Amino acid sequence: MDENAGGKQGRAWSAEWRAMLALAWPLVLTNLSQFALGLTDSVFLGRVGTLELAAATLGSNLYFAALAPTFGLALAAAPLCAQTRGRGRGHLRGMRRDVRAAFWAVAAGTLPTWVLLWNTEAVLLALGQEAALAALAAEYVRAMMWGMPLFCGFIVLRGFLAAEQRPNAALVVSGFGIALNIPLNYWLIHGGFGVPALGVAGAGLASALCNLAMLAGLVAMIARDRRLRRYHLFGRLWRFDAARLREVAAIGLPIAGAMALEIAVFSAAAIAMGWMGALAVAAHAIAVQVAAMTFMVPMGVGQAATARVGLATGAGRASAASRAGWVAIGFGAGFMAFAATLLLLAGGPIAWLFLDAANPGAAETAALATTLLLVAGLFQLADGVQAVAAGALRGLKDTRVPMLLAGLGYWVIGLPCGLALAFPGGLGPIGIWLGLAIGLFIVAGLMLARWVRLSRAGGLTTRRWPR
C-alpha cells in the first residue's frame, strides 16, 4: 500500500513538472519578447551615443517605477482568474468580472501616472541629475508613456489566458511586437520616409506603438477563439463592479507595492549612478539590461506558479498547490544557476554587445559594466528564488506580507548597504551593486521562508473574498 502511495505521489510530481513546463515556457518567452522591446531601444540608442543610452536608462527607470502601481493592479487578474477557474462553478461570469474589474483598475491608475511621467525632466532635476540627461530622458518618457495603459491591458488578458492554461496567444503576439519594434526603432530614431529623426523620442514612440499592436492583436485572437469567446470578456466593459474592484485593489495594490519597492530600488541605484557621471549610468544600464533579461525566466515561471497554485487552491486541493509551488521554485533556481555561471564567465563579451568601440568612453564603460555583471552573477540564484516564491504566494492571494518583506530587504538593508559601500566605503558603482545583491539575498530568504510555512501540510487554504 505504501508502495502504491509512493508511486501515486511520484506520478503526481511528474505530472506537475510537465504541466508547469507546458505553461511556463510560453510565459517565459512572452516576457523575453516584452523585455526585447526595451533591449532594442538600448541597443539602438547605445550605438547613437553614451549620452542617449544614459538618458533612456534614467527615463526608463523612472517610467517603470511609476508604472508599478498600475502594473500591479493588472497582475491581480492572474490569481483572481485562476482561483475563479479552479472553483469551476460559475467561472464564465466570474472570470469576466475579474477581467473587467482589472481593466477598471488600470484605467484608474493611468491618469495620475501620466501626470508624473509628463514631468520627468523636473523630477530628475530635483533628484540631482544633469540637465542634459534630464531633458533627453523626458523626451524618451513623454513618447513612451502613451503605451503604458495598453501594456497593462495586455497583462490583464495574459493573466486570463494563463488561468485558462492557454499562454501561446500572448507569446505569438509578443513575437510580433519584437518584429515590429526593430524597424520602428530604426525608422523613428534615424528618420526617413518623410519623418524627421526623433532620436530618443523615436525609441519611446516605437515602444508605445508596439504596445498598441500587441494589445490589439491579443484582443483579436481572443475574439476569434471559439472557446474563449464564451467569456464575452469585452461585453459591457463600462459596467462598474465595486465589489470586484475592491478585490482587485486588495490583491493588486500589495503586488504593486512589492514591485514598486523592487523597481524603485534599482531606480534609486540608477539615480546614485547619475551622481557619478554618464559613464557610470551607461555601465549600470548594460548590467541592468542583462540582469533583467535573465530575470524574465523566473518571472515567467513565477507567473505560471501563480496560475497553477491558484487553480489548485481554488479547487481546494492543498497538496497540489504546494506541489506546484515547489516545482516552480525548482525550475527558477535551476535556470538562474546556469545564468550565474554564464555571467561570471562571459561578462566582458556580453558588455561589448551594447557598445560601439568607436564611441568616446566605450572602453571605460565596457570595463565597468563587466565588473557589475560579475556582481549580477553572484545574485542570480537569489533573484530567481524570490521571484518564483512571490509568484507562488500570489496564487494564494498572499500579497501583503511579501510586500513588507520586499520593503525590509531592499530598502532597510540593501540600498543603505549599497550607498555606504559606494560613498563612505569608496567602492563607487560596484558598492551600489553589492548592496543590491545583499538586498536580493535577504528578500529571497524571507520569501522562501514564507512559502515553506504556508506550504506545510494543511497550511494552504483558499482565501475567501466577496464574490
Side-chain angles (χ1 to χ4, degrees):
M1 190 169 182
D2 288 343
E3 188 175 320
N4 290 336
K8 186 177 180 180
Q9 282 290 318
R11 288 192 294 274
W13 280 93
S14 178
E16 183 57 47
W17 277 96
R18 291 194 299 272
M20 184 66 69
L21 181 61
L23 181 59
W25 76 261
L27 290 172
V28 167
L29 292 179
T30 301
N31 287 339
L32 288 170
S33 300
Q34 292 164 351
F35 170 80
L37 298 178
L39 181 63
T40 303
D41 292 353
S42 295
V43 169
F44 272 94
L45 292 174
R47 295 185 178 276
V48 173
T50 299
L51 182 64
E52 287 77 7
L53 175 60
T57 300
L58 284 176
S60 62
N61 272 280
L62 179 62
Y63 173 86
F64 285 110
L67 169 69
T70 310
F71 187 46
L73 291 169
L75 284 174
L80 278 170
C81 287
Q83 287 206 12
T84 300
R85 187 71 177 87
R87 279 188 288 273
R89 184 177 176 182
H91 71 277
L92 293 177
R93 180 173 178 269
M95 292 175 75
R96 180 167 63 248
R97 290 179 64 195
D98 293 336
V99 170
R100 183 170 59 207
F103 279 144
W104 270 93
V106 166
T110 293
L111 287 178
T113 305
W114 272 351
V115 170
L116 175 62
L117 293 177
W118 189 258
N119 293 285
T120 291
E121 183 174 5
V123 172
L124 291 177
L125 288 174
L127 291 171
Q129 299 304 302
E130 297 175 9
L133 278 175
L136 273 178
E139 290 183 28
Y140 180 68
V141 171
R142 284 188 171 186
M144 187 167 58
M145 60 182 264
W146 306 111
M148 188 205 79
L150 306 172
F151 171 69
C152 290
F154 176 89
I155 296 301
V156 170
L157 295 180
R158 190 185 67 179
F160 160 76
L161 290 169
E164 279 290 299
Q165 310 289 284
R166 300 278 298 275
N168 289 331
L171 173 59
V172 171
V173 169
S174 295
F176 170 74
I178 295 178
L180 180 63
N181 196 41
I182 293 173
L184 281 179
N185 257 284
Y186 187 84
W187 176 40
L188 295 173
I189 290 173
H190 300 287
F193 301 103
V195 174
L198 299 177
V200 292
L205 181 58
S207 292
L209 291 173
C210 287
N211 285 325
L212 172 61
M214 289 193 300
L215 177 60
L218 201 54
V219 168
M221 293 184 75
I222 290 173
R224 288 174 59 87
D225 188 284
R226 184 171 61 183
R227 176 178 161 188
L228 298 178
R229 274 203 308 268
R230 299 177 303 154
Y231 289 91
H232 301 290
L233 291 182
F234 311 109
R236 301 181 179 180
L237 282 176
W238 61 85
R239 177 174 288 180
F240 185 74
D241 189 338
R244 205 57 131 243
L245 191 58
R246 284 195 298 271
E247 191 173 353
V248 170
I251 297 169
L253 288 177
I255 295 175
M259 291 188 61
L261 289 167
E262 183 173 1
I263 293 171
V265 80
F266 278 90
S267 298
I271 298 298
M273 292 291 182
W275 299 335
M276 301 179 223
L279 188 148
V281 174
H284 174 79
I286 293 169
V288 163
Q289 290 282 356
V290 175
M293 181 171 63
T294 61
F295 179 74
M296 292 299 104
V297 175
M299 183 180 177
V301 176
Q303 289 158 354
T306 298
R308 297 290 302 165
V309 172
L311 285 168
T313 304
R317 296 185 294 119
S319 61
S322 175
R323 187 163 50 244
W326 282 115
V327 166
I329 290 169
F331 269 127
F335 173 81
M336 291 305 260
F338 165 76
T341 303
L342 181 64
L343 294 185
L344 292 172
L345 295 178
I350 291 171
W352 274 109
L353 293 175
F354 293 82
L355 297 165
D356 187 338
N359 286 334
E364 294 87 349
T365 302
L368 179 55
T370 301
T371 305
L372 298 183
L373 286 173
L374 291 176
V375 180
L378 297 177
F379 65 62
Q380 290 295 288
L381 186 61
D383 205 12
V385 168
Q386 67 86 18
V388 180
L393 291 169
R394 287 172 193 166
L396 303 176
K397 298 181 181 176
D398 181 51
T399 57
R400 187 176 63 85
V401 171
M403 176 188 70
L404 298 176
L405 299 180
L408 173 64
Y410 296 138
W411 287 91
V412 178
I413 300 173
L415 186 61
C417 286
L419 292 173
L421 291 170
F423 295 105
L427 294 180
I430 299 169
I432 297 291
W433 272 68
L434 287 172
L436 295 176
I438 292 169
L440 283 166
F441 273 103
I442 295 294
V443 174
L446 293 173
M447 291 287 191
L448 192 58
R450 175 77 174 168
W451 174 254
V452 167
R453 189 173 78 82
L454 293 183
S455 65
R456 287 173 181 163
L460 298 178
T461 58
T462 303
R463 294 191 172 198
R464 297 298 180 188
W465 301 88
R467 307 306 294 175

